[in-house]
Amino acid sequence: MDAALRLGRIAGIPVGVHPSWFVALAVITLSLAQGFFPQSYPGWSEVTYWAAGFVAALALFLSVLLHELSHAAAARARGLAVESITLFIFGGVAHIRSEADSPRDEFFIAVVGPVASVLIGGLSWLAARALGVADVPLRAILEYLGMVNVMLAVFNLLPGYPLDGGRVLRAILWGATGSLARATTWASYAGQTLGFIFIALGVFQMFAGQLLSGLWIAFIGWFLSNAAETSRQQVAAQESFVGVRVRDLMLPDPPTAGPDLPVQRFISEYVLQRGLRALPVVVGGRVVGVVSITDVKEVPAERWGALAIGEIMTNDKLASVRPSDELAPALRLLAERDLNQLLVMDEGQLLGLLSRSSIIRYLQLRQELGASDLVRGRR
Ligand SMILES: [Zn+2]
């Protein structure tokens, strides 16, 4: 969900919509204009049904945005950075950079979303009451918002990770066991189970003749079980890095070169002959940049002879770790900055290069050998 269209910022948080959101907007508008509103409020004109359907669909997404903003505000209040909020076909998601520090924080951040939805629903319902008994479209929209927000809260409180209810479950398990990893694993299994139940319900509905709503429910179940499985695998991957240090997987004493080295020679001598993907660029013993295959690919091949690596190297987001650092934060740094390698430095000295590929190779080896202690003996 990275390819989101940016709408703007709210309280400094970038808000965007994924292209799939427009599909949901269209489907919800259609089903309200042609189904729910004509059935519940007969006698309006065709145009009124469509206008009411569209406004109600937009208001639903505004409700979802408020739900996500409440998560974001709670996360910020607990000292966690919120990267963005994205609306997509199944609702919204607030990207929070790191995990909560305690089960209590996790519980709080998770539970405010459904609470916000219930509040929005309740206020909409009260506003509809205040409008009196007339069958006006505004009242119909408010009644719809009252109902749909409460449904949203109930759905989100189902106890399967990564739904809000699953996060609440995870917070409780985390508090009870003291292990975030174990809590995430169990809550993810619950999420996967819930996903399968939804798929089964959806298929059942399809066979019962309700093709569209059955398809929708099955689709949601599929999405949920996928998300849960991904979370579980991430935990498993993180677990297998416990106790592994940067120095265990780094390339020690990597070759370096000055900024004047022609790109052509970097390719022939370092990439092709020595199998390197990146080379630290050094001036007077100080690292000034890193040149990598990614940098080379950005210039046309016919210019490789004329350019020096100093002209194409990356020098604005140099990230470094220490040899004694744990691998998990190093991996996070790679992912956050979208890098393929990190410099391994200690007291200003270049000691190694940690590449994404060496970490992947380590994971594959571990899986193949079924060993949990490939490198620990070396410490
Ligand atoms: Zn939520």
Side-chain angles (χ1 to χ4, degrees):
M1 264 178 296
D2 292 322
L5 311 165
R6 289 266 164 258
L7 292 182
R9 285 169 181 273
I10 298 177
I13 302 166
V15 174
V17 294
H18 187 263
S20 67
W21 176 81
F22 292 99
V23 177
L25 183 66
V27 170
I28 292 168
T29 302
L30 177 83
S31 72
L32 288 176
Q34 293 297 295
F36 179 73
F37 283 148
Q39 277 158 26
S40 314
Y41 309 92
W44 302 351
S45 73
E46 193 74 355
V47 178
T48 311
Y49 284 128
W50 281 107
F54 183 66
V55 171
L58 279 183
L60 167 60
F61 282 104
L62 194 65
S63 310
V64 172
L65 180 60
L66 287 170
H67 173 117
E68 297 307 329
L69 279 170
S70 70
H71 285 307
R76 272 199 178 168
R78 287 294 186 268
L80 302 178
V82 181
E83 285 181 339
S84 62
I85 290 176
T86 309
L87 298 180
F88 70 118
I89 190 163
F90 295 131
V93 58
H95 298 279
I96 298 166
R97 186 169 301 159
S98 49
E99 300 281 16
D101 294 327
S102 70
R104 204 177 286 264
D105 287 1
E106 168 83 358
F107 183 89
F108 172 63
I109 296 167
V111 91
V112 292
V115 168
S117 291
V118 168
L119 280 178
I120 299 165
L123 286 176
S124 304
W125 186 81
L126 282 177
R129 295 291 106 170
L131 273 179
V133 286
D135 259 359
V136 288
L138 178 61
R139 187 193 155 117
I141 292 170
L142 286 170
E143 277 182 344
Y144 166 72
L145 286 178
M147 180 188 69
V148 80
N149 272 293
V150 172
M151 279 166 56
L152 214 67
V154 171
F155 172 74
N156 273 295
L157 278 175
L158 292 175
Y161 191 83
L163 294 177
D164 295 337
R167 290 180 182 275
V168 168
L169 174 67
R170 181 170 82 145
I172 294 168
L173 292 171
W174 183 8
T177 64
S179 160
L180 174 61
R182 221 177 311 161
T184 308
T185 305
W186 289 350
S188 301
Y189 273 124
Q192 240 176 317
T193 310
L194 200 63
F196 291 142
I197 293 174
F198 269 89
I199 293 173
L201 275 178
V203 171
F204 182 76
Q205 276 214 338
M206 280 193 271
F207 278 115
Q210 291 178 298
L211 197 68
L212 251 174
S213 71
L215 198 65
W216 187 249
I217 290 170
F219 208 30
I220 288 178
W222 171 80
F223 177 77
L224 180 61
S225 73
N226 260 350
E229 194 181 359
T230 307
S231 313
R232 201 161 46 73
Q233 283 168 348
Q234 273 169 358
V235 171
Q238 274 164 13
E239 284 282 273
S240 59
F241 287 133
V242 172
V244 182
R245 309 268 163 180
V246 165
R247 74 167 94 83
D248 296 323
L249 298 185
M250 72 182 188
L251 169 70
D253 304 318
T256 59
D260 301 330
L261 183 81
V263 173
Q264 188 65 62
R265 274 186 57 201
F266 165 62
I267 298 285
S268 60
E269 288 174 28
Y270 292 90
V271 177
L272 295 177
Q273 284 179 21
R274 304 169 75 165
L276 291 168
R277 293 183 61 89
L279 185 67
V281 183
V282 173
V283 174
R286 214 169 58 83
V287 180
V288 295
V290 174
V291 66
S292 70
I293 300 181
T294 317
D295 300 320
V296 172
K297 277 195 293 201
E298 279 168 24
V299 290
E302 58 269 20
R303 296 193 57 209
W304 290 355
L307 280 173
I309 55 172
E311 294 169 89
I312 65 165
M313 68 183 185
T314 301
N315 55 11
D316 56 339
K317 48 175 189 177
L318 287 184
S320 71
V321 286
R322 281 194 309 257
S324 55
D325 284 348
E326 293 257 3
L327 204 60
L331 201 61
R332 210 149 42 226
L333 197 59
L334 279 172
E336 267 172 25
R337 306 235 194 143
D338 194 23
L339 294 168
N340 283 313
Q341 61 278 315
L342 295 170
L343 298 166
V344 184
M345 315 266 294
D346 207 6
E347 287 169 12
Q349 260 207 304
L350 178 69
L351 296 178
L353 206 58
L354 179 71
S355 65
R356 201 182 268 252
S357 55
S358 65
I359 297 172
I360 293 170
R361 206 159 46 232
Y362 168 77
L363 269 184
Q364 283 171 340
L365 259 177
R366 257 189 67 133
Q367 220 167 30
E368 236 174 275
L369 297 173
S372 58
D373 284 316
L374 276 184
V375 295
R376 282 178 214 184
R378 274 167 51 192
R379 283 194 302 140

Short mmCIF file of all heavy atoms in Angstrom, two decimals, residues 271-318:
data_model
loop_
_atom_site.label_atom_id
_atom_site.label_comp_id
_atom_site.label_asym_id
_atom_site.label_seq_id
_atom_site.Cartn_x
_atom_site.Cartn_y
_atom_site.Cartn_z
N VAL A 271 32.61 -5.32 -9.33
CA VAL A 271 31.33 -6.03 -9.43
C VAL A 271 31.52 -7.39 -10.10
O VAL A 271 31.15 -8.42 -9.53
CB VAL A 271 30.29 -5.18 -10.20
CG1 VAL A 271 28.98 -5.95 -10.35
CG2 VAL A 271 30.04 -3.87 -9.47
N LEU A 272 32.12 -7.39 -11.30
CA LEU A 272 32.21 -8.64 -12.05
C LEU A 272 33.27 -9.58 -11.47
O LEU A 272 33.01 -10.76 -11.25
CB LEU A 272 32.51 -8.35 -13.53
CG LEU A 272 31.39 -7.60 -14.25
CD1 LEU A 272 31.77 -7.29 -15.69
CD2 LEU A 272 30.09 -8.41 -14.21
N GLN A 273 34.47 -9.07 -11.20
CA GLN A 273 35.54 -9.96 -10.74
C GLN A 273 35.39 -10.37 -9.29
O GLN A 273 35.67 -11.49 -8.92
CB GLN A 273 36.90 -9.29 -10.94
CG GLN A 273 37.36 -9.31 -12.40
CD GLN A 273 38.70 -8.61 -12.56
OE1 GLN A 273 39.44 -8.45 -11.60
NE2 GLN A 273 38.98 -8.18 -13.78
N ARG A 274 34.96 -9.45 -8.43
CA ARG A 274 34.95 -9.77 -7.00
C ARG A 274 33.55 -9.98 -6.43
O ARG A 274 33.40 -10.24 -5.24
CB ARG A 274 35.67 -8.66 -6.22
CG ARG A 274 37.08 -8.47 -6.78
CD ARG A 274 37.73 -7.23 -6.25
NE ARG A 274 38.18 -7.40 -4.87
CZ ARG A 274 39.03 -6.57 -4.28
NH1 ARG A 274 39.52 -5.54 -4.95
NH2 ARG A 274 39.37 -6.75 -3.04
N GLY A 275 32.54 -9.83 -7.30
CA GLY A 275 31.18 -10.13 -6.86
C GLY A 275 30.61 -9.15 -5.86
O GLY A 275 29.68 -9.47 -5.12
N LEU A 276 31.15 -7.92 -5.81
CA LEU A 276 30.63 -6.93 -4.87
C LEU A 276 29.45 -6.18 -5.49
O LEU A 276 29.39 -6.01 -6.70
CB LEU A 276 31.72 -5.92 -4.51
CG LEU A 276 32.87 -6.47 -3.67
CD1 LEU A 276 34.00 -5.46 -3.65
CD2 LEU A 276 32.39 -6.76 -2.25
N ARG A 277 28.54 -5.73 -4.65
CA ARG A 277 27.42 -4.94 -5.16
C ARG A 277 27.57 -3.48 -4.77
O ARG A 277 26.88 -2.61 -5.29
CB ARG A 277 26.09 -5.47 -4.61
CG ARG A 277 25.73 -6.86 -5.12
CD ARG A 277 24.38 -7.28 -4.59
NE ARG A 277 23.34 -6.36 -5.02
CZ ARG A 277 22.65 -6.51 -6.16
NH1 ARG A 277 22.90 -7.53 -6.95
NH2 ARG A 277 21.73 -5.64 -6.50
N ALA A 278 28.45 -3.21 -3.81
CA ALA A 278 28.62 -1.84 -3.34
C ALA A 278 30.06 -1.63 -2.88
O ALA A 278 30.73 -2.57 -2.47
CB ALA A 278 27.66 -1.58 -2.18
N LEU A 279 30.49 -0.39 -2.96
CA LEU A 279 31.87 -0.06 -2.62
C LEU A 279 31.89 1.27 -1.85
O LEU A 279 31.40 2.28 -2.36
CB LEU A 279 32.66 0.08 -3.92
CG LEU A 279 34.17 0.31 -3.85
CD1 LEU A 279 34.88 -0.91 -3.28
CD2 LEU A 279 34.71 0.63 -5.24
N PRO A 280 32.45 1.27 -0.63
CA PRO A 280 32.58 2.54 0.08
C PRO A 280 33.60 3.44 -0.62
O PRO A 280 34.64 2.96 -1.06
CB PRO A 280 33.08 2.12 1.48
CG PRO A 280 32.75 0.68 1.60
CD PRO A 280 32.85 0.13 0.21
N VAL A 281 33.26 4.72 -0.74
CA VAL A 281 34.16 5.68 -1.38
C VAL A 281 34.85 6.48 -0.28
O VAL A 281 34.19 7.06 0.59
CB VAL A 281 33.36 6.61 -2.33
CG1 VAL A 281 34.30 7.56 -3.05
CG2 VAL A 281 32.56 5.77 -3.32
N VAL A 282 36.20 6.50 -0.33
CA VAL A 282 36.97 7.04 0.79
C VAL A 282 37.89 8.15 0.30
O VAL A 282 38.50 8.05 -0.75
CB VAL A 282 37.80 5.89 1.43
CG1 VAL A 282 38.74 6.44 2.48
CG2 VAL A 282 36.88 4.84 2.02
N VAL A 283 37.93 9.23 1.10
CA VAL A 283 38.92 10.30 0.85
C VAL A 283 39.68 10.54 2.14
O VAL A 283 39.07 10.85 3.16
CB VAL A 283 38.22 11.61 0.40
CG1 VAL A 283 39.25 12.73 0.29
CG2 VAL A 283 37.50 11.42 -0.92
N GLY A 284 41.00 10.34 2.08
CA GLY A 284 41.84 10.57 3.26
C GLY A 284 41.40 9.75 4.46
O GLY A 284 41.37 10.26 5.58
N GLY A 285 41.02 8.52 4.24
CA GLY A 285 40.64 7.64 5.35
C GLY A 285 39.21 7.85 5.84
O GLY A 285 38.76 7.17 6.75
N ARG A 286 38.49 8.82 5.24
CA ARG A 286 37.12 9.10 5.68
C ARG A 286 36.13 8.64 4.60
O ARG A 286 36.34 8.91 3.42
CB ARG A 286 36.95 10.61 5.91
CG ARG A 286 36.01 10.97 7.04
CD ARG A 286 36.13 12.47 7.33
NE ARG A 286 35.85 13.27 6.13
CZ ARG A 286 34.61 13.60 5.74
NH1 ARG A 286 33.58 13.22 6.44
NH2 ARG A 286 34.44 14.33 4.66
N VAL A 287 35.07 7.98 5.03
CA VAL A 287 34.06 7.52 4.07
C VAL A 287 33.21 8.72 3.64
O VAL A 287 32.63 9.40 4.47
CB VAL A 287 33.15 6.44 4.68
CG1 VAL A 287 32.11 5.99 3.67
CG2 VAL A 287 33.97 5.25 5.15
N VAL A 288 33.17 8.99 2.33
CA VAL A 288 32.38 10.13 1.86
C VAL A 288 31.14 9.69 1.10
O VAL A 288 30.28 10.50 0.77
CB VAL A 288 33.22 11.06 0.95
CG1 VAL A 288 34.35 11.70 1.74
CG2 VAL A 288 33.78 10.28 -0.24
N GLY A 289 31.03 8.40 0.82
CA GLY A 289 29.85 7.93 0.10
C GLY A 289 29.94 6.44 -0.16
O GLY A 289 30.91 5.78 0.23
N VAL A 290 28.89 5.92 -0.78
CA VAL A 290 28.87 4.51 -1.18
C VAL A 290 28.37 4.47 -2.61
O VAL A 290 27.36 5.09 -2.93
CB VAL A 290 27.94 3.68 -0.28
CG1 VAL A 290 27.83 2.25 -0.80
CG2 VAL A 290 28.43 3.67 1.16
N VAL A 291 29.10 3.74 -3.47
CA VAL A 291 28.60 3.57 -4.83
C VAL A 291 28.10 2.13 -4.95
O VAL A 291 28.73 1.21 -4.44
CB VAL A 291 29.68 3.88 -5.89
CG1 VAL A 291 30.83 2.90 -5.83
CG2 VAL A 291 29.06 3.90 -7.29
N SER A 292 26.93 1.96 -5.56
CA SER A 292 26.36 0.62 -5.65
C SER A 292 25.83 0.38 -7.05
O SER A 292 25.75 1.31 -7.87
CB SER A 292 25.23 0.47 -4.64
OG SER A 292 24.14 1.25 -5.05
N ILE A 293 25.46 -0.86 -7.30
CA ILE A 293 24.89 -1.21 -8.61
C ILE A 293 23.64 -0.36 -8.89
O ILE A 293 23.38 0.04 -10.01
CB ILE A 293 24.56 -2.71 -8.65
CG1 ILE A 293 25.84 -3.51 -8.43
CG2 ILE A 293 23.93 -3.10 -9.98
CD1 ILE A 293 25.65 -5.01 -8.48
N THR A 294 22.89 -0.09 -7.83
CA THR A 294 21.69 0.74 -7.98
C THR A 294 22.05 2.11 -8.56
O THR A 294 21.35 2.63 -9.44
CB THR A 294 20.99 0.91 -6.62
OG1 THR A 294 20.98 -0.33 -5.96
CG2 THR A 294 19.59 1.42 -6.79
N ASP A 295 23.16 2.71 -8.05
CA ASP A 295 23.58 4.02 -8.57
C ASP A 295 23.98 3.90 -10.04
O ASP A 295 23.67 4.77 -10.85
CB ASP A 295 24.78 4.55 -7.76
CG ASP A 295 24.44 4.73 -6.29
OD1 ASP A 295 23.32 5.20 -6.02
OD2 ASP A 295 25.28 4.39 -5.44
N VAL A 296 24.70 2.82 -10.35
CA VAL A 296 25.20 2.64 -11.73
C VAL A 296 24.04 2.50 -12.70
O VAL A 296 24.06 3.05 -13.80
CB VAL A 296 26.12 1.39 -11.80
CG1 VAL A 296 26.48 1.09 -13.25
CG2 VAL A 296 27.37 1.61 -10.97
N LYS A 297 23.01 1.77 -12.26
CA LYS A 297 21.89 1.51 -13.17
C LYS A 297 21.17 2.78 -13.58
O LYS A 297 20.43 2.81 -14.56
CB LYS A 297 20.89 0.54 -12.50
CG LYS A 297 21.31 -0.92 -12.66
CD LYS A 297 20.18 -1.86 -12.34
CE LYS A 297 19.78 -1.82 -10.88
NZ LYS A 297 19.06 -2.99 -10.41
N GLU A 298 21.37 3.86 -12.80
CA GLU A 298 20.67 5.10 -13.10
C GLU A 298 21.33 5.92 -14.20
O GLU A 298 20.78 6.90 -14.66
CB GLU A 298 20.51 5.94 -11.83
CG GLU A 298 19.33 5.46 -11.00
CD GLU A 298 19.29 6.05 -9.61
OE1 GLU A 298 19.86 7.13 -9.41
OE2 GLU A 298 18.68 5.40 -8.73
N VAL A 299 22.55 5.52 -14.61
CA VAL A 299 23.19 6.23 -15.73
C VAL A 299 23.30 5.28 -16.92
O VAL A 299 23.53 4.09 -16.74
CB VAL A 299 24.59 6.78 -15.35
CG1 VAL A 299 24.47 7.92 -14.39
CG2 VAL A 299 25.48 5.70 -14.78
N PRO A 300 23.13 5.82 -18.14
CA PRO A 300 23.21 4.96 -19.33
C PRO A 300 24.61 4.35 -19.49
O PRO A 300 25.61 4.99 -19.16
CB PRO A 300 22.89 5.93 -20.49
CG PRO A 300 22.86 7.30 -19.91
CD PRO A 300 22.80 7.21 -18.44
N ALA A 301 24.66 3.11 -20.01
CA ALA A 301 25.91 2.36 -20.07
C ALA A 301 27.00 3.09 -20.87
O ALA A 301 28.18 2.96 -20.56
CB ALA A 301 25.63 0.98 -20.67
N GLU A 302 26.60 3.87 -21.88
CA GLU A 302 27.63 4.51 -22.70
C GLU A 302 28.37 5.62 -21.94
O GLU A 302 29.41 6.09 -22.39
CB GLU A 302 27.03 5.04 -24.01
CG GLU A 302 25.90 6.03 -23.89
CD GLU A 302 24.52 5.35 -23.87
OE1 GLU A 302 24.46 4.13 -23.57
OE2 GLU A 302 23.52 6.03 -24.15
N ARG A 303 27.87 5.99 -20.78
CA ARG A 303 28.56 7.05 -20.02
C ARG A 303 29.46 6.48 -18.92
O ARG A 303 30.12 7.23 -18.21
CB ARG A 303 27.53 8.00 -19.41
CG ARG A 303 26.73 8.76 -20.47
CD ARG A 303 25.95 9.91 -19.87
NE ARG A 303 26.82 10.84 -19.16
CZ ARG A 303 26.42 11.58 -18.12
NH1 ARG A 303 25.20 11.47 -17.67
NH2 ARG A 303 27.25 12.41 -17.52
N TRP A 304 29.45 5.13 -18.76
CA TRP A 304 30.23 4.53 -17.69
C TRP A 304 31.72 4.82 -17.81
O TRP A 304 32.43 4.91 -16.83
CB TRP A 304 30.02 2.99 -17.66
CG TRP A 304 28.65 2.61 -17.21
CD1 TRP A 304 27.68 3.46 -16.75
CD2 TRP A 304 28.09 1.30 -17.17
NE1 TRP A 304 26.54 2.77 -16.43
CE2 TRP A 304 26.76 1.42 -16.68
CE3 TRP A 304 28.55 0.03 -17.50
CZ2 TRP A 304 25.92 0.33 -16.52
CZ3 TRP A 304 27.72 -1.06 -17.33
CH2 TRP A 304 26.41 -0.91 -16.85
N GLY A 305 32.22 4.97 -19.06
CA GLY A 305 33.63 5.24 -19.25
C GLY A 305 34.00 6.66 -18.87
O GLY A 305 35.10 6.93 -18.41
N ALA A 306 33.07 7.58 -19.02
CA ALA A 306 33.37 9.00 -18.82
C ALA A 306 33.17 9.46 -17.37
O ALA A 306 33.76 10.43 -16.93
CB ALA A 306 32.51 9.85 -19.76
N LEU A 307 32.32 8.74 -16.63
CA LEU A 307 31.99 9.19 -15.28
C LEU A 307 32.87 8.53 -14.22
O LEU A 307 33.32 7.39 -14.39
CB LEU A 307 30.53 8.85 -14.97
CG LEU A 307 29.45 9.77 -15.53
CD1 LEU A 307 28.07 9.18 -15.25
CD2 LEU A 307 29.56 11.16 -14.89
N ALA A 308 33.09 9.24 -13.11
CA ALA A 308 33.80 8.66 -11.96
C ALA A 308 32.77 8.29 -10.90
O ALA A 308 31.68 8.86 -10.86
CB ALA A 308 34.80 9.67 -11.40
N ILE A 309 33.13 7.34 -10.04
CA ILE A 309 32.14 6.89 -9.05
C ILE A 309 31.74 8.00 -8.09
O ILE A 309 30.63 8.02 -7.57
CB ILE A 309 32.65 5.65 -8.24
CG1 ILE A 309 33.99 5.93 -7.58
CG2 ILE A 309 32.71 4.42 -9.13
CD1 ILE A 309 34.43 4.82 -6.62
N GLY A 310 32.66 8.96 -7.88
CA GLY A 310 32.34 10.09 -7.00
C GLY A 310 31.17 10.93 -7.51
O GLY A 310 30.49 11.60 -6.73
N GLU A 311 30.92 10.83 -8.82
CA GLU A 311 29.85 11.63 -9.40
C GLU A 311 28.48 10.96 -9.29
O GLU A 311 27.46 11.61 -9.47
CB GLU A 311 30.14 11.93 -10.88
CG GLU A 311 31.37 12.80 -11.08
CD GLU A 311 31.80 12.85 -12.55
OE1 GLU A 311 31.29 13.73 -13.26
OE2 GLU A 311 32.61 12.01 -12.98
N ILE A 312 28.48 9.66 -9.08
CA ILE A 312 27.18 8.97 -9.04
C ILE A 312 26.88 8.34 -7.68
O ILE A 312 25.82 7.78 -7.46
CB ILE A 312 27.09 7.87 -10.13
CG1 ILE A 312 28.10 6.75 -9.85
CG2 ILE A 312 27.30 8.43 -11.51
CD1 ILE A 312 27.82 5.47 -10.65
N MET A 313 27.86 8.40 -6.75
CA MET A 313 27.70 7.70 -5.46
C MET A 313 26.56 8.32 -4.63
O MET A 313 26.13 9.45 -4.86
CB MET A 313 29.00 7.78 -4.67
CG MET A 313 29.33 9.17 -4.21
SD MET A 313 30.91 9.21 -3.36
CE MET A 313 30.94 10.93 -2.82
N THR A 314 26.11 7.54 -3.68
CA THR A 314 25.11 8.03 -2.73
C THR A 314 25.85 8.63 -1.54
O THR A 314 26.71 7.97 -0.95
CB THR A 314 24.24 6.86 -2.24
OG1 THR A 314 23.62 6.27 -3.37
CG2 THR A 314 23.19 7.32 -1.27
N ASN A 315 25.54 9.86 -1.22
CA ASN A 315 26.21 10.44 -0.04
C ASN A 315 25.26 11.18 0.88
O ASN A 315 25.65 11.71 1.89
CB ASN A 315 27.36 11.37 -0.47
CG ASN A 315 26.87 12.45 -1.41
OD1 ASN A 315 25.66 12.64 -1.59
ND2 ASN A 315 27.79 13.17 -2.02
N ASP A 316 23.98 11.19 0.52
CA ASP A 316 23.06 11.98 1.36
C ASP A 316 22.43 11.17 2.47
O ASP A 316 22.05 11.71 3.49
CB ASP A 316 21.97 12.62 0.48
CG ASP A 316 21.22 11.60 -0.32
OD1 ASP A 316 21.76 10.50 -0.52
OD2 ASP A 316 20.08 11.87 -0.74
N LYS A 317 22.30 9.86 2.29
CA LYS A 317 21.67 9.10 3.38
C LYS A 317 22.54 7.92 3.79
O LYS A 317 22.13 6.78 3.77
CB LYS A 317 20.25 8.65 3.02
CG LYS A 317 20.10 7.99 1.66
CD LYS A 317 18.67 7.49 1.50
CE LYS A 317 18.54 6.64 0.25
NZ LYS A 317 17.22 6.08 0.07
N LEU A 318 23.79 8.23 4.14
CA LEU A 318 24.71 7.20 4.59
C LEU A 318 24.28 6.73 5.97
O LEU A 318 24.15 7.52 6.90
CB LEU A 318 26.13 7.76 4.68
CG LEU A 318 26.84 7.99 3.35
CD1 LEU A 318 28.26 8.44 3.60
CD2 LEU A 318 26.81 6.73 2.50
#
